[in-house]
């Protein structure tokens, strides 16, 4: 379907009001700005607004509403389900709004709505400060944080949303509100996991933490020799202090200097340990793992911002992800998890991941609408491939992992890790009580469900009190 054509006079008037740029289908660069991270998504919006200020975002929202255009919001990250794209609608593109202002004295950062983890981490690194970010440098800070925010530092510093101090949000009527614990507190609560349902977050203020050193170890094992090692890793992670994070990752061995040629292109099982501390501390704490037989290894102290780049996957690949959050990871579940690696697409960029949770994740958050934080483990089948002919196989593998791990799973799930899996999955992700409260917030700030290209929360007014 061809994108809708906007009246030239209306578009010209909009362009006069913008400090950014409005890109229509006939304009140079249109295909570049409409292309999203997931190569499976190919949509043609009527207009892409490359915003440079909160005022631009307000103009964009009002223009879209005046012209009955569906709104997609692009913060600059992944949006694996393609929610930052629209067919025939308007894309509010924040990628030019990527400034990061660090206040080292107050240990805070004000982050533009289009910033990625790379922007944030490179800005905080010189001050030996950091906050929980995603597990890739290309993740968008805004969508990541508003969806909850799970990353390598979460066991030490909590989820990203636990470190959210304030947000500037353009609501569905084009107005800007400041949300914090004192201003619009119910909206502020909803921004701790409720995603982009309530408006366009043009800036976030995040709490930073001292991080003078960071280190990591990655061990590669052949899958057929990994059974005992997986159980060792599980026992190690469940007893580890908060400084320790990491993952079990079954993946195609990459052509890296530390990887022997005989492994490149083959399925391997990687045991990754991250440490919010120096290499000496990592080696001491991870001694049981470093004693395991392995095919290859890398152990290093490195800046956190560099660690964030290690598992970047390139844009333009075909992506299909999902997740389950587990109540436990017993021996039976370990065996099932290990067997599922044999069905994943190899060679490809796909990763069969198991994350240890716990620590500050489980302890924190107050009443934030992220019930999955109680899970000690998360399994994340991360399908990434290039050839469309592999679509069925890759999707089937992801769905198969979910189904096989369900006996140990919660209903709640981190929505940033999944694609479009239906309204029931969204409600289960929050739990019914949280969902009802979120729906009431949605009804106040977006009663017409203008911001619906997301893991959508339908606006529902709270029930009237019973007559006495």
């Amino acid at each position: 379907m061809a994108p809708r054509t906007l009246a030239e006079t209306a578009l010209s008037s909009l362009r006069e009001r913008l400090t950014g740029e409005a890109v229509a289908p006939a304009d140079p660069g249109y295909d570049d700005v409409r292309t999203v991270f997931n190569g499976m998504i190919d949509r043609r919006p009527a207009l892409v607004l490359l915003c440079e200020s909160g005022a631009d975002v307000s103009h964009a929202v009002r223009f879209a509403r005046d012209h009955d255009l569906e709104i997609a919001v692009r913060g600059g990250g992944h949006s694996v389900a393609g929610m930052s794209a629209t067919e025939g609608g308007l894309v509010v593109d924040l990628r030019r709004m990527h400034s990061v202002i660090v206040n080292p004295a107050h240990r805070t950062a004000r982050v533009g709505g289009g910033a990625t983890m790379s922007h944030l981490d490179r800005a905080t690194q010189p001050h030996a400060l950091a906050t929980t970010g995603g597990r890739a440098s290309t993740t968008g800070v805004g969508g990541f944080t508003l969806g909850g925010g799970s990353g390598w530092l979460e066991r030490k510093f909590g989820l990203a949303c636990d470190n959210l101090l304030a947000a500037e949000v353009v609501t569905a009527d084009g107005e800007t509100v400041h949300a914090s614990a004192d201003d619009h507190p119910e909206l502020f609560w909803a921004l701790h996991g409720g995603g982009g349902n309530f408006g366009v977050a043009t800036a976030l203020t995040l709490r930073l933490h001292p991080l003078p050193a960071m280190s990591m170890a990655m061990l590669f094992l052949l899958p057929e020799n990994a059974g005992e090692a997986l159980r060792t890793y599980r026992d190690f992670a469940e007893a580890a202090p908060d400084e320790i994070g990491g993952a079990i990752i079954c993946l195609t061995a990459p052509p890296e200097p530390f990887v022997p040629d005989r492994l490149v292109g083959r399925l391997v099982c990687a045991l990754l340990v991250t440490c919010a501390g120096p290499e000496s501390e990592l080696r001491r704490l991870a001694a049981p793992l470093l004693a395991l037989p392995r095919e290859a290894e890398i152990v290093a102290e490195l800046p956190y911002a560099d660690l964030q780049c290690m598992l970047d996957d390139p844009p333009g690949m075909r992506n299909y992800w999902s997740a389950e959050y587990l109540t436990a990871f017993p021996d039976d579940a370990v065996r099932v998890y290990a067997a599922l690696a044999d069905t994943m697409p190899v060679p490809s960029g796909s990763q069969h991941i198991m994350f240890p949770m716990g620590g500050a994740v489980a302890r924190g958050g107050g009443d934030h609408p992220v019930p999955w934080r109680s899970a000690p483990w998360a399994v994340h089948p991360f399908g990434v491939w290039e050839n469309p002919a592999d679509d069925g196989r890759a999707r089937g593998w992801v769905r198969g992992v979910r189904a096989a791990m369900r006996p140990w799973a919660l209903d709640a799930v981190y929505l940033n890790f999944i694609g479009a899996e239906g309204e029931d999955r969204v409600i289960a992700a929050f739990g019914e009580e949280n969902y009802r409260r979120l729906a009431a917030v949605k009804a106040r700030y977006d009663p017409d469900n203008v911001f619906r290209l997301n893991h959508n929360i339908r606006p529902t007014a709270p029930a009237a009190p019973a007559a006495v």
Side-chain angles (χ1 to χ4, degrees), residues 18-42:
L18 295 174
T19 54
E21 185 179 357
V23 183
D27 294 329
Y30 170 77
D31 282 332
D32 289 337
V33 299
R34 75 174 180 88
T35 301
V36 294
F37 175 82
N38 187 349
M40 297 179 73
I41 310 298
D42 183 19

Side-chain angles (χ1 to χ4, degrees), residues 334-358:
V334 172
R335 284 190 289 271
V336 170
Y337 168 83
L340 290 164
D342 294 334
T343 64
M344 67 185 291
V346 176
S348 77
S350 300
Q351 299 172 22
H352 181 35
I353 309 174
M354 182 72 73
F355 296 118
M357 305 285 288

Side-chain angles (χ1 to χ4, degrees), residues 177-431:
V177 300
H178 175 85
S180 68
D182 298 319
D183 299 323
H184 297 268
E186 195 68 1
L187 172 61
F188 187 59
W189 170 84
L191 297 177
H192 290 72
N197 271 280
F198 314 100
V200 184
T202 56
L204 304 176
T205 301
L206 300 174
R207 180 187 298 109
L208 304 177
H209 305 266
L211 187 68
M214 191 78 194
S215 54
M216 57 78 62
M218 181 178 279
L219 315 180
F220 278 10
L221 299 84
L222 295 177
E224 57 267 29
N225 300 329
E228 185 59 36
L230 293 181
R231 289 186 287 274
T232 300
Y233 186 98
R234 176 201 59 197
D235 296 344
F236 158 78
E238 290 182 349
D242 293 355
E243 287 74 16
I244 294 294
I248 301 166
I249 312 173
C250 299
L251 75 165
T252 301
E256 296 289 343
F258 72 96
V259 180
D261 290 343
R262 61 187 169 79
L263 295 183
V264 173
R266 294 180 59 186
L267 177 65
V268 294
C269 180
L271 305 183
L272 173 65
V273 182
T274 62
C275 179
E279 182 181 337
S280 58
E281 184 176 4
L282 167 69
R283 288 187 176 276
R284 177 179 63 82
L285 293 173
L289 297 181
L290 296 175
L292 292 170
R294 62 267 192 190
E295 304 295 321
E297 72 172 45
I298 179 171
V299 182
E301 185 171 323
L302 73 172
Y304 172 63
D306 291 350
L307 171 66
Q308 289 287 72
C309 300
M310 285 187 59
L311 294 177
D312 284 356
D313 55 313
M317 302 294 285
R318 303 176 78 78
N319 284 255
Y320 187 78
W321 311 347
S322 195
E324 292 289 352
Y325 279 69
L326 309 185
T327 58
F329 193 30
D331 287 352
D332 286 348
V334 172
R335 284 190 289 271
V336 170
Y337 168 83
L340 290 164
D342 294 334
T343 64
M344 67 185 291
V346 176
S348 77
S350 300
Q351 299 172 22
H352 181 35
I353 309 174
M354 182 72 73
F355 296 118
M357 305 285 288
V361 177
R363 292 194 303 271
D367 69 341
H368 296 163
V370 283
W372 46 269
R373 73 188 307 140
S374 64
W377 290 91
V379 62
H380 180 31
F382 184 87
V384 180
W385 67 101
E386 188 170 6
N387 190 340
D390 292 330
D391 285 2
R393 177 186 174 201
R395 285 171 166 163
W397 167 68
V398 170
R399 292 166 179 158
V401 172
R402 269 202 65 203
M405 301 305 293
R406 277 298 299 167
W408 301 280
L410 298 169
D411 288 331
V413 66
Y414 176 39
L415 293 174
N416 282 355
F417 271 174
I418 74 172
E421 297 183 3
E423 184 177 29
D424 288 348
R425 181 83 151 140
V426 174
I427 295 172
F430 297 115

Side-chain angles (χ1 to χ4, degrees), residues 8-83:
E8 241 348 281
T9 52
L11 187 51
S12 177
S13 175
L14 173 65
R15 283 174 165 148
E16 290 176 359
R17 297 194 300 273
L18 295 174
T19 54
E21 185 179 357
V23 183
D27 294 329
Y30 170 77
D31 282 332
D32 289 337
V33 299
R34 75 174 180 88
T35 301
V36 294
F37 175 82
N38 187 349
M40 297 179 73
I41 310 298
D42 183 19
R43 296 183 185 141
R44 298 183 62 84
L47 195 62
V48 178
L49 293 191
L50 304 174
C51 299
E52 294 186 1
S53 66
D56 280 356
V57 174
S58 294
H59 290 317
V61 170
R62 289 175 176 140
F63 184 87
R65 299 205 68 183
D66 288 345
H67 293 84
D68 194 26
L69 295 172
E70 181 178 65
I71 294 176
V73 180
R74 184 170 189 177
H78 298 152
S79 185
V80 68
M83 295 168 178

